[in-house]
Amino acid sequence: MTVYRAERDFIKVGTKWGEITVKRGFYEGKAVQQAPEYEECRQIAETYHVPLKQVYEEVWKALD
């Protein structure tokens, strides 16, 4: 079995609640994976009394 380790970087995405860090994984120079940082999203959801899912949706919209 071969295991590939993707290169990673982090970007900041602006939302109506502030910036959220998104981790991206690259393989052969192409972005193959991206995910918002859970702890930041959870904290925003708690602070602004909104569902966590709504925070994630806002991040995905900002990425498009």
Side-chain angles (χ1 to χ4, degrees):
M1 176 165 72
T2 304
V3 176
Y4 295 97
R5 240 193 235 285
E7 289 182 40
R8 290 189 185 149
D9 77 355
F10 297 86
I11 60 170
K12 294 281 189 178
V13 175
T15 71
K16 59 185 170 187
W17 304 290
E19 289 190 331
I20 296 177
T21 304
V22 175
K23 181 175 17 182
R24 300 186 304 175
F26 292 88
Y27 179 70
E28 295 184 355
K30 293 182 183 178
V32 293
Q33 177 180 333
Q34 52 189 10
E37 287 295 311
Y38 170 77
E39 271 307 310
E40 290 180 22
C41 292
R42 184 194 62 75
Q43 195 169 31
I44 285 173
E46 228 174 71
T47 300
Y48 293 95
H49 307 288
V50 295
L52 181 60
K53 181 179 180 179
Q54 186 177 344
V55 177
Y56 274 105
E57 287 171 354
E58 193 73 21
V59 172
W60 294 125
K61 267 198 270 183
L63 285 169
D64 283 341

